[in-house]
């Protein structure tokens, strides 16, 4: 077991930082012990960010675990995210910019921002701007 196991366990549970969770998966994936396997299995089945699930899957398979990669989630990755986006849009003055929307989302709901940023990867900004633009029509 790694010497920093407790820190890795905390990092694996940090919902507002997908990069830290991914790093924890990579580090735990170097230790083929039951506690690491348990954490990686939980991440595989329940993390909202699909690339993190994929990383946990690869590590578990490398350990020889018989696991299946779950299907990619459709719709809201965070329950009620659509309502969060609408609420943030309505809280900003009329005529606000996409950048103002993005900044307020990041400040007020870092968990939602982080989950979608991790899941969408390089397409995040384009996806968020498209989402924001569609909210302007409502």
């Amino acid at each position: 077991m790694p010497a920093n196991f407790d820190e890795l366990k905390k990092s694996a549970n940090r919902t507002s930082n997908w990069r830290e969770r991914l790093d924890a998966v990579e580090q735990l994936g170097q230790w083929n012990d039951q506690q690491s396997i348990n954490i990686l299995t939980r991440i595989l089945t329940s993390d909202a960010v699909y690339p993190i699930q994929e990383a946990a899957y690869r590590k578990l398979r490398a350990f020889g675990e018989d696991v299946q990669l779950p299907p990619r989630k459709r719709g809201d990755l965070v329950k009620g995210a659509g309502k969060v986006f609408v609420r943030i849009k309505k809280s900003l003055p009329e005529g606000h910019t996409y950048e103002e929307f993005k900044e307020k989302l990041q400040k007020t709901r870092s968990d939602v921002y982080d989950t979608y940023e991790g899941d969408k990867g390089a397409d995040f900004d384009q996806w968020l701007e498209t989402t924001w633009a569609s909210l302007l029509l409502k």
Side-chain angles (χ1 to χ4, degrees):
M1 207 164 52
N4 62 341
F5 178 78
D6 288 337
E7 292 157 26
L8 289 174
K9 186 176 177 181
K10 286 178 188 175
S11 293
N13 291 317
R14 194 149 290 134
T15 59
S16 63
N17 192 329
W18 69 269
R19 288 174 183 86
E20 196 171 326
R21 290 196 317 277
L22 183 58
D23 184 55
V25 166
E26 294 299 330
Q27 290 187 51
L28 289 167
Q30 298 173 22
W31 300 89
N32 190 353
D33 63 84
Q34 194 56 53
Q35 287 183 303
S36 294
I37 290 170
N38 290 346
I39 293 171
L40 291 171
T41 301
R42 182 194 52 77
I43 289 170
L44 171 65
T45 59
S46 65
D47 201 286
V49 177
Y50 199 70
I52 294 174
Q53 288 182 306
E54 290 175 318
Y57 170 78
R58 285 192 304 276
K59 296 298 182 180
L60 289 164
R61 292 294 295 195
F63 290 160
E65 295 293 311
D66 183 22
V67 292
Q68 299 297 316
L69 184 62
R72 190 175 199 119
K73 292 178 187 168
R74 301 283 177 226
D76 286 352
L77 300 178
V78 176
K79 187 176 180 178
K83 291 179 182 179
V84 169
F85 298 141
V86 169
R87 208 172 307 122
I88 288 173
K89 176 210 171 274
K90 287 182 176 181
S91 73
L92 291 165
E94 193 171 324
H96 68 272
T97 65
Y98 161 68
E99 289 300 325
E100 291 170 322
F101 173 82
K102 179 180 173 183
E103 183 178 323
K104 183 150 188 186
L105 174 63
Q106 189 173 18
K107 285 182 179 177
T108 59
R109 288 301 303 266
S110 62
D111 60 327
V112 173
Y113 183 95
D114 187 79
T115 297
Y116 282 95
E117 180 188 37
D119 193 73
K120 302 294 181 189
D123 297 330
F124 172 70
D125 275 315
Q126 182 180 357
W127 171 84
L128 186 60
E129 189 163 7
T130 301
T131 300
W132 167 77
S134 73
L135 295 173
L136 296 176
L137 304 174
K138 294 179 182 178

